[in-house]
Amino acid sequence: YILKLPDKSNEGASRGWICHLILELLGEEKHQKNYKLIIDSGSIFACRAIEKLVLYHANKLDVGDEDNLKMMDEMTMSGLHYDFFGEDDKKPDAVISEQYFDIEISKDNISFRMRGFIDKLFLYEDKSYALIRDFKTNKQMFKGKEITDNLQNLMYSMAVRHLFPEIKKTESEFLFLKFDIQKDMFNNPGKGVLKMESV
């Protein structure tokens, strides 16, 4: 995960790795033309550069068949359609794809290190607020302790506070791309969006 290498253990992990790669790339400013083309057409395969990249990795990871490619297309498009640039309420001051953190903390006889990547991070300076977004390609949504005591949520919130000390409030949301995540006419997200309580 740290080296950003694909997990070859199963098809789901391979599909998820490719989806994350495309979502990361299309979040970069230099790829806005490709993002617009894909949104307008309704498929990631409308963009030749993205199609070549997906097929290259999919074939390498043995997920280049029609069914797997269709799933990757649907999941990636779902993520791209969900407020991809964090502008639904207000335009953020910064949008960061794959925010890396490597933090060591030693305080009051407690010492630990944590490192990883945050899929999407939106910073709103006037509110001292950060929205943390994580894309999930899991078959199932979180339940039980995965919701009430989610370690990933706590780590990401701590990492953002550490990297951006001016941020006073963080909120995380997990987007389960195999489920309905799109907002309705009243701006309520689908059941595939899990919003965590602010830490």
Side-chain angles (χ1 to χ4, degrees):
Y1 183 72
I2 297 302
L3 295 176
K4 301 178 91 173
L5 297 172
D7 180 349
K8 296 183 180 180
S9 60
N10 60 64
E11 285 190 350
S14 297
R15 282 194 307 266
W17 184 84
I18 293 170
C19 289
H20 276 80
L21 174 65
I22 303 308
L23 289 165
E24 176 188 352
L25 290 174
L26 292 174
E28 295 175 9
E29 201 165 319
K30 63 183 177 181
H31 295 301
Q32 290 309 292
K33 191 175 171 185
N34 292 338
Y35 167 81
K36 189 173 184 321
L37 171 64
I38 285 168
I39 290 296
D40 289 345
S41 68
S43 171
I44 60 173
F45 297 114
C47 173
R48 184 70 185 127
I50 294 295
E51 180 184 40
K52 280 177 70 176
L53 186 66
V54 170
L55 291 176
Y56 170 77
H57 288 296
N59 289 325
K60 203 172 173 183
L61 295 169
D62 294 322
V63 289
D65 59 278
E66 190 178 335
D67 287 343
N68 275 310
L69 291 174
K70 184 172 185 284
M71 276 190 268
M72 285 184 271
D73 190 24
E74 290 172 350
M75 288 190 290
T76 307
M77 288 306 300
S78 186
L80 292 173
H81 277 295
Y82 186 86
D83 187 25
F84 193 59
F85 296 102
E87 298 178 345
D88 269 11
D89 294 323
K90 184 189 176 201
K91 188 172 181 177
D93 296 287
V95 179
I96 306 166
S97 290
E98 294 294 312
Q99 172 66 61
Y100 176 66
F101 61 89
D102 186 350
I103 298 166
E104 288 189 67
I105 293 178
S106 189
K107 186 178 179 182
D108 300 331
N109 296 320
I110 295 174
S111 182
F112 62 91
R113 180 182 180 188
M114 60 182 188
R115 57 184 178 160
F117 296 88
I118 297 171
D119 288 343
K120 295 281 284 188
L121 179 62
F122 306 100
L123 303 177
Y124 303 84
E125 291 173 6
D126 62 333
K127 299 179 185 176
S128 298
Y129 167 69
L131 174 61
I132 299 162
R133 183 173 296 158
D134 191 70
F135 298 109
K136 296 290 183 194
T137 55
N138 308 21
K139 289 181 190 172
Q140 295 180 343
M141 290 187 62
F142 291 157
K143 52 190 173 189
K145 280 270 189 189
E146 292 174 311
I147 298 173
T148 59
D149 191 20
N150 188 284
L151 184 60
Q152 190 178 9
N153 175 38
L154 296 171
M155 287 174 64
Y156 282 3
S157 298
M158 182 180 285
V160 170
R161 298 283 183 91
H162 188 87
L163 294 171
F164 304 97
E166 71 278 9
I167 295 297
K168 304 300 178 198
K169 181 181 180 184
T170 60
E171 287 182 325
S172 299
E173 58 185 19
F174 295 102
L175 304 190
F176 289 83
L177 301 179
K178 282 194 172 183
F179 297 82
D180 174 29
I181 64 171
Q182 302 312 320
K183 296 182 179 181
D184 63 19
M185 65 175 70
F186 304 107
N187 214 31
N188 299 313
K191 69 174 185 175
V193 178
L194 177 59
K195 291 180 179 283
M196 310 300 286
E197 284 189 27
S198 179
V199 177

